[in-house]
Amino acid sequence: MLLAALLLVIGLSLLAYFGSRFRAVASGRKDLHSLPSYHGLFVALWVGLPSLLIIVVWVGLQEPVIDNLLLSSLPEEEIAGKDVGQVGLLLGEIKNVSRGQIFKEPSASVQAAADRYVAWQVIADRAMIAAALAIALAAGALAAIRFRPQFRARQSVERIVTWLMVLCSVLAILTTAGIVLSLVFEALRFFARVPFWDFFFGLSWEPQIALREDQIAGAGAFGAIPVFAGTLLIAFIAMLIAGPIGLLAAIYNAEYAHPRFRAVAKPLLEILAGVPTVVYGFFAVLTVAPALREFGALLGLSVAPNSALAAGAVMGIMIIPFISSLSDDALSAVPQAMRDGSYAIGATQAETIRQVLLPAALPGIVGGFLLAISRAIGETMIVVMAAGLIATLTANPFSGVTTVTVQIVTLLIGDTEFDSPKTLAAFALGLVLFVVTLGLNVIALRIVQKYREKYE
């Protein structure tokens, strides 16, 4: 029904646009203040936006309202003495029965509740469509009666679009603030249980603790130094591979390559950025890691089945396009006059690239490198599949290590309880990752500001 409601709104908006546009054209007035298309857009926006808002609010409130109605319609003995989790399971059973997903014979009350749930869903969906249709027609009629030759439709449309952009910006800011506040709040809960000093300077990471009385587990150790070290080691290996290859590829494509070769090579190189990370993980596990073990055996080196080198190497291949594409664009954006001036004083092409183009394009190149570093630090799937889950404090690239993102995933799956230090540790790690990424962005902005003043 949601799709039907959206299609209805889109259809009514298109009908309003073409109808109002035709009305403006058919008026034959030469003194129209705005183009006919703006008159059509004005009515279409009035038709589409209020009805779309009704649909969004309705969809957000429909499920909670029906859930409360279901609970109030159940017999008292069905929910007596049950906590929130058990009530949630009961609601889930009712909804599964309503969809025909029956794993055991439901009780009579559950079956009756499932039938009521289906009936109420149908009523609510039809009411949503009726409400959206009524709002659309009423708003369209109000907008249509405002048609006059001197009506400033263009200014009205631009005002509506401006407020829409402001609303989108506010939503983006509020979403970011919500993410940050949730991380900070949960991280503070974690540091209330685990000392700040132990987390940032501890050398042992063993977060597995007992969540229930019948479980057997250790007391837990939350020293995050091994996790941070593993993250930096894999990111460093990835940048050792991606940095030189990406930058040299960008220089060749921008300054040496024939236009026809560049037109083919650059899109092919950027395809690497579109390959799913799970594919890179399979490549690391099935191809790179065994090859590294065999090569290490030939040299008499002991290479772990899951090594930082395997994960870092494959991650480096993955982030090459981030460096090459942005660096290529930065080099191509340098004015030709700077090249010509360098050649005019006798500099060679290599000297021009090294002493003129690279400094001039430095903001874009630094931006590409920092974007690649952020991507390497935040990667999860490749590390899960190729590097391992055990936090080891080592600088040996042939050993298995883990990263911050992998530990966040590990801590939040399985048998979890959001009041335990084990689960709250994921939010502390997430906060650290957020601060590091923010710091990289600030550094990139400062570098860009410094060198733009010099070369613009």
Side-chain angles (χ1 to χ4, degrees), residues 315-365:
M315 192 183 298
I317 296 173
M318 181 189 69
I319 62 178
I320 286 175
F322 294 95
I323 298 175
S324 65
S325 182
L326 292 176
S327 299
D328 187 355
D329 294 339
L331 290 169
S332 300
V334 176
Q336 183 63 33
M338 298 186 69
R339 296 177 175 84
D340 296 338
S342 178
Y343 295 146
I345 60 176
T348 64
Q349 187 174 16
E351 291 172 339
T352 300
I353 293 172
R354 187 175 64 252
Q355 299 180 9
V356 177
L357 298 184
L358 287 179
L362 189 62
I365 295 173

Side-chain angles (χ1 to χ4, degrees), residues 184-196 199 419 421 424 428:
V184 171
F185 177 74
E186 298 296 337
L188 290 177
R189 292 179 60 194
F190 170 75
F191 289 123
R193 293 166 170 80
V194 177
F196 179 89
F199 177 77
D419 283 333
L424 295 175

Side-chain angles (χ1 to χ4, degrees), residues 161-421:
V161 173
T162 299
W163 279 107
L164 282 177
M165 290 189 291
V166 171
L167 177 62
C168 293
S169 301
V170 171
L171 288 177
I173 294 172
L174 292 178
T175 301
T176 304
I179 293 172
V180 174
L181 291 176
S182 63
L183 284 176
V184 171
F185 177 74
E186 298 296 337
L188 290 177
R189 292 179 60 194
F190 170 75
F191 289 123
R193 293 166 170 80
V194 177
F196 179 89
W197 183 269
D198 292 347
F199 177 77
F200 282 100
F201 300 100
L203 302 180
S204 178
W205 179 263
E206 296 178 1
Q208 302 302 325
I209 62 176
L211 299 180
R212 299 190 307 267
E213 295 181 358
D214 58 343
Q215 285 184 320
I216 300 176
F222 296 94
I225 288 293
V227 181
F228 298 150
T231 303
L232 294 177
L233 177 61
I234 291 180
F236 178 73
I237 295 172
M239 291 305 299
L240 281 181
I241 294 174
I245 295 176
L247 183 57
L248 292 176
I251 293 173
Y252 179 79
N253 280 333
E255 301 299 322
Y256 292 99
H258 191 276
R260 284 183 294 182
F261 177 84
R262 171 187 167 86
V264 175
K266 187 176 181 181
L268 288 178
L269 193 60
E270 291 176 348
I271 287 177
L272 293 174
V275 177
T277 56
V278 67
V279 176
Y280 282 112
F282 280 123
F283 176 65
V285 171
L286 300 178
T287 303
V288 177
L292 287 176
R293 287 200 305 271
E294 294 178 4
F295 183 72
L298 292 177
L299 299 179
L301 299 175
S302 177
V303 181
N306 295 323
S307 64
L309 182 59
V314 176
M315 192 183 298
I317 296 173
M318 181 189 69
I319 62 178
I320 286 175
F322 294 95
I323 298 175
S324 65
S325 182
L326 292 176
S327 299
D328 187 355
D329 294 339
L331 290 169
S332 300
V334 176
Q336 183 63 33
M338 298 186 69
R339 296 177 175 84
D340 296 338
S342 178
Y343 295 146
I345 60 176
T348 64
Q349 187 174 16
E351 291 172 339
T352 300
I353 293 172
R354 187 175 64 252
Q355 299 180 9
V356 177
L357 298 184
L358 287 179
L362 189 62
I365 295 173
V366 171
F369 270 79
L370 291 177
L371 177 62
I373 293 173
S374 300
R375 186 70 178 84
I377 292 176
E379 175 54 36
T380 303
M381 186 57 67
I382 295 176
V383 187
V384 169
M385 301 178 69
L389 303 175
I390 300 176
T392 306
L393 182 58
T394 180
N396 182 7
F398 302 127
S399 300
V401 295
T402 190
T403 64
V404 171
T405 53
V406 173
Q407 288 302 310
I408 292 175
V409 173
T410 305
L411 293 171
L412 293 179
I413 61 175
D415 192 359
T416 60
E417 181 182 338
F418 276 85
D419 283 333
S420 70

